[in-house]
């Protein structure tokens, strides 16, 4: 499955006139206010978000799963799906693998597939929250934090394997999401679990190639419902500091207690040079893993406002790894991801429109009304023409979802793969 | 304090060219899609929101209050302040009084002041959450729900007084917000408190003029921190049903537990013909009473989407009473209210752009992606030119806050009233 | 698998002396304060809680499932498991079936098995949140609320089937938990979904035998993460009222937004005669389905305080149906359920110790300190000897879990069923 | 106001027989299980909790305050009130002052008053969340974090003053609770605010006497409702680390987002040697400041379980400073505090009953059921006789509240101070 660029151009014909009218109006308006349109469009185009392999099939809940037709049933097909997304949006130029769901058989072949789509391999993800069929030890009571040394060692070895697999593919970072925790008070000794985790992470860190990064994810609850070993950014930050310079905190939008001010966490981490990666999704209640921007787009904008600020003012922080971590079973996964990509681009574009100089001035003067006006002025701007232009410039679709539909891509995927194919993994 | 209409027009000169350009672009775009621009602008202009008298001074928290200069120190000045808001925005054509803070001395004089500003008297609000100096009985342990009959009677009598005061001013509704509840388990018998409340409300309802409505507000917590007698919409709805046809539920955006789906409550109440009033504000944690739209503008839009739907499809529901209930001490209260009014208008305008026919079609087809696209397409549109046009048509300011600042209104208020004037009430 | 009563008595020998000493002390203490010990013990013994068939296997999360050995693989084995629980605790004298997971092949045989354990059939539960293999229509986008009539009809027919199955077994109530809702704003029309649900429930209600009850469960979120059709008690109560006298609200402890005052809901429902059933579990974050009393035992006590009050003072409310709805994969399911049963009995016993006369007096006098003292005095009492006595009187085990372990029951179950047996259903 | 010890003994006569009976039963039971009763009672008696001066008057909410009669109107009277609490409970042997509300006029006289009650001066608290009448600069937009250097300097100087005042009284620690934050997105630059706070704290830290500690409190929201500079333990921990060895994190139970696992935070901080102080209260929704143990006593027990563990196993952590930070207006403040003290002692006693060796064994064996049984066995024990004995041994009251009432202490306070006296401060 591969989309012909010309076909994408064909779908654009229908929208190009309106796009031009809207873009001309907006760029004239913004230029009049002093914005550098070309620079903004370039930044939008350069912003690439990794797609995790598990988002390409229908997700589900503990109450069941409603699958989608034409799901990719192997790694090559998953990369093909990302290729489709990238061809249409030009902002999905990477895939993030999940091991052991995505172990390649033939590394060169897989790299060629990815290369042919212009897709690179972003952070690799280990999995110690489920037991694998071949596993000798069970992670039922934890992995890197487990009271049992032999289980910890199995989990450490798995992470090192993941690094090796990633290394062969050109990945440069390992993401550790640790589900370890407890369902009941007293089930584990908090201090022992934390110390074990620290030591296990150090062992993994010790095997990290020089040019790699280790991302330590945090999450307050689920799948454990009393405690989680790495429950918040403070714990992750502490662990990352104890590991070393190549260890960073990874923020997943859905991994917070109700009402957490996430943008402030982002800001603090960038100030300290420790924001390594970012997982996008949206949620209303918990780790709902809904389409990015579908519930709280203004919060996403505020987060991007801090990200933009940090990328411009915090040289101590590396360029973060971006990934979408959303997956549900009510939408075609590819359409879902295109909506997420659009929401990310939109929030980024609006954040780029915040006049940081005027904002700083208003902040210093405690002109709170003006501060709010400045953010809202950027947010209220309809930036879609900028996103369209960024895509257009790179050969993408003006309206990716419309193009996807008019090109009958899902229909073709079903024809190729069958209606009943099921994505490996979750 | 009264703003000369010509001065407002003068402030518009600076912005009129850009407004025209933006409006022309947008109206052409929307007309091309089949929208009736004139009708939308008329609806926006007709949408009037009441300003509560207590929002005109600086609010505060239990940790203290930082007052603002030039606060209105009596009812006439409060009405003047609403007059300023209305002159600039043309959408603040009503005031909502709080008794006993706002009892008029001379009813005719007060009505004339209001009339001169084009301001009417919306719902009147009783207060049984504080003890008044002259009061014989204390509300420390509740008012309409109190175990003591004599205290309940005092609270009932107060509410009837409020109706009479409102009646003389032309109000047509009474809002009862009941702070009654408990701080500690066991403090009160839930069933007795609820039954007392029901009976007290019926007594008040019995004194309601035929063309009046009774609005019953709900709130989960604060100022009581274990239980509140009317804790949720279900309780309010049940009480309203038991009172009769003129009793309705009033929704205050800030009066919900974390993550509540408020738009669904709005929808249910309108289906049942029981949404009487709506208090606007915004919040991140609890009843934070922040500027409308400053934290969750998309949630506000989703609520307006239900309000628009209900106003068009639920003749069983009366036209709701709108009020802003936000008040803080970090901004000039009048600028704060203008930001709230703008956010309300914006959400309303965007909701009016949702294509209900296409939405219904997508819903029936379970095209979830399309449903989201339709909402987001409306939401992402920059509707500010529509709001500006609605104000312009009625003699308001293109940019109310800029006009307010360039006309030095706060400075003049301070000159008139002094820096230390303090708003009566909260 | 069946426990010999004599074996249970044997296990008691080890604990009987300490039990007697503790019981004698406590009964003397309480008798001295005027409590009727015999009456309390009788109430505790009479309190029977249904075990749902799905709690007998290991539960899990969307991130996977760690199964337990010796799980019951058919309905007969599930009833056997409840028989074990009942033999040991004498408070688990009912099973609650989930259809289609538990459709009997031979009704008489199944009834005999249950009868031999002294176990009856409590409320039957329908399932329209998953697709069955044989189903023609999918519930992916809802069941009783679905925009499609043919899907609603399938769901209605299923519920009527469940009634018929339950009727043959001697059940007297149907529990409807409706997962219907949406993951994304705009996905469904709230009013249509609610009206469809109302009509579907009425159709089911119309088929209810005269001596049956319909329980309508509510839940704010999960498995849908934007909206749920029956999101709160207010919606359930409204639907039950519209169905008729045999329709009731069912409260599940885990189905509430953060910080909800559940005991107040219980109290209101009993006052209105509409509390039909109650599902016990515990949780820290959401619908965590943890062991009853493992996280918030005081909240459970406060709820029982209202239940006891209602059972004594609200003849308008029927005796509620009790069920445990907790299930996880970190404990032996039978031990887990015994811990839940113990916590329920404990909370009930403590609630029975609240001196309602003194409490009423303190409430009327607004002696809040005394109100709290009265509740805490009951709560702080170590009531375990009362629970033990109630079990002992009925032939149960003084320490059910210890007896279960010393009798090697799990080991025997594994021997009988194999290590790999998996419970049907969830 | 001073309670004659003999009078306390007199009030004990009524309860002594029952106490002895209950104590004998319990100590025999526990001794039989291997507990060292004397050691437990000694620990309970040694556990002293500071009373903050502001808890001695009625608190309130932003909606008003219902005062209590006989409140202490000056520092001497506040110390007298703590003296009353200490005489009755023998566990309130310290007062925590709030500056500027409690600046002594005559240090020696004040120290003598305290000494005569056996009361010492615990941590002193600065106040930069309100403007003082004499202040030149306003804290409306922050203090230690303020963008304005002159305001920061005022706030730093105030903290240094507080150290000096505390030093003269024998205090050994300064608690900084920073209300600084924002109400609206964009209002402040997060990084600037954090950096300013860091630098300000370092300046204060630089003036700390060698044997002092600096406690840095955190809180997610209120009085600011968008962001708080020190929003969580992670931020406080980071700041404390950057200050130095004498800086610690202070945990206030009410200062967390919904559902936070506080006991895990406590455990982590003790492991890292950074838990400096602990403020007790209880809450259902936010920082409700309710009586300790009145809402979630099991959570309090779980926290004490970690505190006991840390005090026994973490020599790297200093002995924490304990304080009650609860204050409401529905109870007599002194009775309220006695209920809090009792709940603290109860939780501590139960935590001391947790068999750490058996727990460790069960944890290592992943016997989750047993882990829970061990905690619940301790928690379900009625430990009141132990608390009584600890008080009795030190000359306190068996039933402090009953003694307080039978000795007519509030009546006498009103007689001495008048009904209308109002506590200085909050």
């Amino acid at each position: 499955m591969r989309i012909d660029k010309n076909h994408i151009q064909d779908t654009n014909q229908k929208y190009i006139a309106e796009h031009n009218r809207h873009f001309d109006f907006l760029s004239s308006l913004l230029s009049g206010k002093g914005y550098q349109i070309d620079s903004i469009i370039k930044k939008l185009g350069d912003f690439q978000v990794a797609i995790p392999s598990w988002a390409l099939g229908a997700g589900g809940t503990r109450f069941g799963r409603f699958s989608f037709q034409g799901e990719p049933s192997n790694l090559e097909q998953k990369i093909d799906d990302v290729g489709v997304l990238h061809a249409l949006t030009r902002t999905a130029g990477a895939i993030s693998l999940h091991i052991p769901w995505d172990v390649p058989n033939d590394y060169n072949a897989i790299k060629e597939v990815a290369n042919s789509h212009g897709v690179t391999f972003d952070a690799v993800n280990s999995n110690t929250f489920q037991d694998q069929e071949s596993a000798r030890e069970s992670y039922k009571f934890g992995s890197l934090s487990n009271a049992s040394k032999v289980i910890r060692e199995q989990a450490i070895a798995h992470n090192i394997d993941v690094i090796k697999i990633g290394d062969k593919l050109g990945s440069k970072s390992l993401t550790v999401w640790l589900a370890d925790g407890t369902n009941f008070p007293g089930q584990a000794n908090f201090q022992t679990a934390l110390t074990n985790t620290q030591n296990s992470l150090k062992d993994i860190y010790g095997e990290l190639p020089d040019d790699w990064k280790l991302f330590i994810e945090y999450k307050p609850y689920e799948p454990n419902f009393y405690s989680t070993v790495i429950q918040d950014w403070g714990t992750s930050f502490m662990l990352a500091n104890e590991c070393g310079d190549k260890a960073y905190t990874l923020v997943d939008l859905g991994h917070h207690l109700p009402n957490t001010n996430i943008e402030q966490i982002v800001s603090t981490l960038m100030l300290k040079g420790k924001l390594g990666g970012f997982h996008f999704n949206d949620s209303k209640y918990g780790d709902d893993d809904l389409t990015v921007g579908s519930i709280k787009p203004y919060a996403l904008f505020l987060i991007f406002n801090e990200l933009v600020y940090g990328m411009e003012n915090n040289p101590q922080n590396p360029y973060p790894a971006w990934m979408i971590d959303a997956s549900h079973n009510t939408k075609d996964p590819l359409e879902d991801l295109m909506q997420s990509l659009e929401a990310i681009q939109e929030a980024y574009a609006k954040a780029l429109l915040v006049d940081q100089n005027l904002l700083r001035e208003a902040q210093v003067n405690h002109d709170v009304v003006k501060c709010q006006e400045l953010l809202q002025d950027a947010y209220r701007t309809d930036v879609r023409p900028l996103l369209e232009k960024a895509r257009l410039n790179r050969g993408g679709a003006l309206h990716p979802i419309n193009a996807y539909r008019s090109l009958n891509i899902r229909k073709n995927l079903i024809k190729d793969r069958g209606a009943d194919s099921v994505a490996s993994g979750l």
Side-chain angles (χ1 to χ4, degrees), chain A:
Chain A
M1 183 70 225
R2 201 163 294 264
I3 308 183
D4 186 320
K5 285 196 178 184
N6 293 327
H7 290 169
I8 294 177
Q9 298 314 315
D10 292 347
T11 68
N12 286 343
Q13 291 317 309
K14 197 169 155 191
Y15 309 108
I16 191 74
E18 186 179 315
H19 162 73
N20 284 334
R21 213 161 46 236
H22 201 166
F23 180 79
D24 289 347
F25 165 73
L26 183 65
S27 63
S28 143
L29 182 84
L30 293 175
S31 300
K33 293 182 178 174
Y35 291 95
Q36 306 293 324
I37 304 298
D38 287 350
S39 157
I40 290 173
I41 288 169
K42 182 174 184 314
K43 284 180 181 171
L44 292 173
D46 288 347
F47 197 86
Q48 299 294 316
V49 181
I51 307 296
S53 65
W54 62 90
L56 301 161
T61 71
R62 63 173 168 139
F63 294 98
R65 181 179 181 274
F66 298 95
S67 64
F68 212 86
Q69 301 188 315
E71 295 189 2
S73 58
N74 58 41
L75 180 52
E76 186 172 342
Q77 290 181 355
K78 289 178 184 178
I79 297 172
D80 280 348
D81 275 11
V82 177
V84 166
L85 291 174
H86 193 45
L88 292 168
T89 66
R90 307 312 305 164
T91 61
I95 186 168
S96 193
L97 302 190
H98 197 104
I99 308 301
W101 301 335
D102 303 314
V103 182
N105 293 316
D106 178 339
Y107 283 83
N108 284 333
I110 284 296
K111 283 166 81 171
E112 262 176 46
V113 172
N115 196 42
S116 74
H117 290 295
V119 166
T120 60
F121 293 92
D122 210 88
V124 279
N125 302 269
S126 57
N127 176 341
T128 60
F129 57 87
Q130 288 178 323
D131 288 342
Q132 306 308 325
E133 269 182 43
S134 58
R136 240 181 318 179
E137 305 292 334
S138 168
Y139 297 133
K140 180 171 182 172
F141 298 105
S143 59
L144 297 182
S145 77
N146 204 301
S148 151
K149 196 175 179 222
V150 63
I151 298 176
R152 294 199 303 276
E153 284 173 348
Q154 175 179 295
I156 292 166
H158 166 67
N159 273 279
I160 295 171
D161 277 351
V162 174
I163 293 172
K164 286 177 184 157
I165 291 166
D167 203 36
K168 290 194 216 162
L169 292 168
S171 289
K172 292 293 173 198
S173 48
L174 168 70
T175 297
V176 174
W177 170 55
L178 205 61
D180 290 31
T182 64
N183 274 315
F184 298 100
Q187 179 180 336
N189 182 297
F190 289 137
Q191 297 193 351
T192 306
L194 184 58
T195 303
N196 284 340
T197 301
Q198 176 64 75
N199 292 335
S200 298
L201 286 171
K202 281 181 181 170
D203 285 353
I204 297 164
Y205 185 85
E207 299 293 321
L208 213 58
D210 282 351
D211 59 346
W212 272 56
K213 299 192 194 103
L214 172 65
F215 299 148
I216 303 171
E217 209 164 337
Y218 60 90
K219 185 174 184 180
Y221 65 96
E222 199 210 20
N224 281 292
F225 293 99
Y226 168 63
S227 73
T228 302
V229 174
I230 310 181
Q231 71 167 333
D232 52 19
W233 78 268
T235 309
S236 165
F237 178 70
M238 187 178 75
L239 292 168
N241 279 330
E242 294 180 14
C243 278
D245 286 349
K246 295 180 294 183
Y248 297 88
T249 292
L250 184 145
V251 175
D252 180 299
L253 273 175
H255 293 189
H256 298 88
L257 290 172
N259 307 334
T260 303
N261 188 320
I262 302 172
E263 52 269 33
Q264 189 177 357
I265 294 172
V266 165
S267 172
T268 298
L269 287 169
M270 294 189 92
L271 177 65
K272 300 297 170 184
K274 280 293 189 190
L275 180 69
F278 206 93
H279 285 184
F280 295 104
N281 50 56
D282 211 340
S283 56
K284 188 169 172 64
Y285 303 99
D287 187 26
D288 306 341
D289 278 339
L290 301 178
T291 314
V292 182
S294 63
I295 303 290
K296 299 175 197 152
Y298 192 58
L300 183 67
F301 161 74
L302 294 176
I303 289 165
F304 260 102
N305 189 37
E306 298 305 324
L307 291 170
V308 165
Y309 181 86
M311 289 191 282
E312 287 175 8
N313 295 281
N314 299 138
Q316 67 272 37
N317 199 79
Y319 186 78
W322 314 110
M323 193 185 89
I324 292 173
D325 193 356
S327 166
H328 250 279
N329 55 25
T330 43
K331 296 173 176 170
D332 176 332
L334 293 178
E335 295 191 352
D336 194 346
L337 287 162
M338 282 185 279
Q339 289 189 314
S340 282
L341 288 164
E342 179 84 359
I344 291 168
Q345 288 272 317
E346 188 198 22
Y348 183 35
K350 290 179 174 186
L352 289 170
L353 293 184
V354 173
D355 189 318
Q356 296 289 340
N357 290 327
L358 290 180
L359 182 59
R360 195 167 302 118
E361 188 185 319
Q363 286 170 341
V364 167
N365 295 332
H366 297 310
D367 187 349
V368 183
V369 166
K370 181 76 177 171
C371 293
Q372 181 174 318
E373 291 285 303
L374 286 165
L375 291 194
Q376 289 186 333
D377 186 31
Y379 182 71
R380 285 166 173 164
T381 303
D382 188 344
V383 295
R384 287 176 290 182
L386 305 177
L387 278 53
E388 291 162 12
K389 179 64 87 186
R391 280 194 294 270
L392 202 59
N393 286 353
R394 296 175 182 235
L398 278 172
H399 287 287
I401 289 175
N402 291 358
Y404 175 87
R405 291 190 170 192
S406 69
L407 294 172
N408 290 313
I409 296 177
R410 178 59 58 186
K411 207 170 289 177
N412 289 328
L413 290 173
I414 296 173
K415 212 170 65 185
D416 286 4
R417 301 172 182 173
D420 299 336
S421 70
V422 172
S424 46
L426 257 198

